Amino acid sequence: MGNKFIDFLERKIMPKAAKIAGQRHIRALRDGLAITMPLIIIGSIFMILGNVPIAGYNDFINSIFGDGFAAKILYPVRVTFDIVAILSVFSVSYQIAKDKDVDGVSAGAVALASFLLLIPVLTVNSKLADGSTLNLGRVWQTTNLGAGGLIVAIFTAIISTEIFIYVIKKNWVIKMPESVPPAVSKSFAAITPGLIIITLFFFIRLGFEATTYGNVFNFITKFVGSPLSKVGLSFGGMIATIFLYMFFWSLGIHGTRVVFGVMDSVLLPAMDQNRLALEAGQALPNIVTKQFYDNFVNIGGCGAAIGLVIAIFIVGRSQQLKTLSRLAIAPAIFNISEPIIFGVPIVMNPIMMIPFVLSNLSIGILTYAAMAFNLVSKPAGLAIPWTVPAPISGFLATNGDFRAVILQVIAIALSVLIYLPFVKVWDKQKVEEENMLIEAEA
């Protein structure tokens, strides 16, 4: 049965997936987002060090290195995770332009400026201990510079660069004499398309400022999340929520931030209702709460990343995937999935997007059913940090139900089984690519 399914994937799915993956915008997105992987892995290391889920850890670190040092461990996270959108908008634009033999650096610079133009700027003042006010100036919101702004960054890169290419191909540019250095000529050639693009995005920003949304980032968050909030605690709402944020992640968009930016307004009150019921000795009213997603569905990170890493350990033969799995295992244990998502990659990979979405959907259905039939206790409304590894997180989230530990182990095993055939197919392709590269270099 397994071999037949793998054969089906290779004969029927892989050719179609390869055709989709070969589309120039998707190829540019995949290659452009790859630039973020080294920084994400580095940031994941500091993310783990700054969020170790052990009581007294921060006090211990501060006692050794000084007060407040535990918070400073997260500084490198700010220059890795929090600049993903900035890196991506430039890199994706560069890849799209390069595919059409257009100056990628100039196209990327214009796309980056266009993206920054869409980000609202805040004037920040801070109260000092002596009562005086320190003007920190005008700042951009970092949530829009990181993965939370990735969907806007992607659309900006595509729209901006396609206009840039069109103008250049039409030769609507300022031409310089042949004696002028090429770098200078390219910069002058970028003036006309740059002016058109910046003007367009200027009016886009003004248009959103004239609405109740205020900016394009708020529009996307509310447009995606608002319908979900109406059905958020139901079984159907749970399915829709998981599918949507997993689908966004597979496109390279921070689905968790986009979807749960609105969903938390429903999930957090549900969590508190369970806490109050627990304190009163009453039956817990809600299955779907913040902990349902944080501690059960996203086991090992989005897409049940721990299952994917284990599947690679079991069947992986390509050097790329084997090396990646060794780097990604520690973050996955602490539910950080970005290294594996951008490293395999899952992003813009039609073959790996399928198990990525299916794994979380399957775990969500399994967990909901187990709790609905009272096989496992519902989340107790206790705020368990999302970095707590399974199966400890399940035990704590259910206020000490050992059956939750078994549920999480089963969920991990289920995710491994879902990933295995797809990993075999993807790994085989990676091995062939590596062999071709070795032969070319021989």
Side-chain angles (χ1 to χ4, degrees), residues 186 301 377 414 427:
K186 288 179 180 180
S377 299
L414 176 61
D427 181 69

Side-chain angles (χ1 to χ4, degrees), residues 31 40 110 143 206 347 351 354 372 400 409 411 426:
D31 295 343
I40 286 174
V110 173
T143 53
L206 293 179
V347 175
I351 193 68
I354 298 171
V409 172
W426 185 245

Side-chain angles (χ1 to χ4, degrees), residues 291-307:
Q291 285 68 47
F292 178 85
Y293 292 105
D294 283 355
N295 305 128
F296 288 95
V297 175
N298 291 333
I299 191 167
C302 293
I306 189 70

Side-chain angles (χ1 to χ4, degrees), residues 4 35 60 72 87 95 111 146 154 181 192 238 263 284 290 326 339 346 352 361 369:
K4 288 183 178 180
I35 194 176
F60 173 72
K72 295 177 182 179
L87 292 174
Q95 295 293 338
I154 289 172
T192 302
M238 179 269 296
M263 284 300 295
L284 304 182
K290 182 71 170 170
R326 289 192 289 268
I346 300 295
M352 291 305 297
L361 278 175

Side-chain angles (χ1 to χ4, degrees), residues 5 16 51 64 74 103 116 152 181-182 211 221 248 264 299-300 305 307:
F5 183 63
K16 292 182 175 61
N51 291 279
I64 296 176
L74 296 178
D103 180 25
L116 294 175
V152 178
T211 69
T221 299
F248 275 133
D264 279 353
I299 191 167

Side-chain angles (χ1 to χ4, degrees), residues 92-104 107 161 165:
V92 170
S93 175
Y94 177 88
Q95 295 293 338
I96 296 173
K98 188 178 70 171
D99 185 65
K100 291 292 184 178
D101 296 322
V102 171
D103 180 25
T161 311
I165 292 170

Side-chain angles (χ1 to χ4, degrees), residues 16-276:
K16 292 182 175 61
K19 187 175 182 180
I20 294 172
Q23 200 275 337
R24 67 186 186 89
H25 292 107
I26 293 179
R27 188 173 64 248
L29 284 172
R30 185 186 64 238
D31 295 343
L33 292 174
I35 194 176
T36 65
M37 188 185 68
L39 291 179
I40 286 174
I41 291 176
I42 294 168
S44 297
I45 295 171
F46 285 95
M47 178 81 79
I48 293 170
L49 294 175
N51 291 279
V52 175
I54 298 176
Y57 169 78
N58 286 350
D59 293 335
F60 173 72
I61 293 296
N62 290 337
S63 68
I64 296 176
F65 299 102
D67 289 342
F69 187 83
K72 295 177 182 179
I73 295 176
L74 296 178
Y75 284 176
V77 177
R78 304 293 166 248
V79 294
T80 52
F81 280 84
D82 285 358
I83 63 168
V84 166
I86 291 179
L87 292 174
S88 298
V89 70
F90 181 90
S91 183
V92 170
S93 175
Y94 177 88
Q95 295 293 338
I96 296 173
K98 188 178 70 171
D99 185 65
K100 291 292 184 178
D101 296 322
V102 171
D103 180 25
V105 174
S106 296
V110 173
L112 175 59
S114 301
F115 172 68
L116 294 175
L117 180 58
L118 296 176
I119 299 177
V121 180
L122 306 176
T123 300
V124 179
N125 295 313
S126 179
K127 285 285 186 181
L128 300 179
D130 61 3
S132 61
T133 300
L134 174 65
N135 186 351
L136 298 178
R138 297 171 63 80
V139 299
W140 280 309
Q141 293 175 300
T142 57
T143 53
N144 297 325
L145 303 177
L150 202 50
I151 186 171
V152 178
I154 289 172
F155 280 116
T156 299
I158 293 173
I159 294 170
S160 170
T161 311
E162 287 299 334
I163 295 173
F164 190 94
I165 292 170
Y166 181 82
V167 174
I168 293 294
K169 294 295 184 181
K170 286 292 184 179
N171 210 23
W172 300 340
V173 298
I174 299 174
K175 295 182 180 180
M176 300 298 290
E178 293 184 0
S179 59
V180 174
V184 177
S185 296
K186 288 179 180 180
S187 64
F188 273 88
I191 292 176
T192 302
L195 178 61
I196 294 171
I197 294 165
I198 295 294
T199 302
L200 170 64
F201 279 86
F202 170 64
F203 282 110
I204 290 175
R205 173 168 177 168
L206 293 179
F208 277 102
E209 286 184 348
T211 69
T212 55
Y213 296 106
N215 59 73
V216 64
F217 302 92
N218 288 341
F219 169 76
I220 290 174
T221 299
K222 294 178 181 178
F223 180 80
V224 171
S226 293
L228 287 176
S229 65
K230 295 179 174 59
V231 293
L233 302 183
S234 67
F235 177 77
M238 179 269 296
I239 295 294
T241 299
I242 293 175
F243 176 81
L244 197 56
Y245 80 78
M246 295 308 300
F247 178 71
F248 275 133
W249 267 115
S250 65
L251 298 179
I253 300 162
H254 200 301
T256 307
R257 184 166 292 168
V258 171
V259 173
F260 286 102
V262 172
M263 284 300 295
D264 279 353
S265 64
V266 177
L267 296 174
L268 292 176
M271 164 187 159
D272 202 48
Q273 289 170 11
N274 281 17
R275 179 187 63 81
L276 294 173

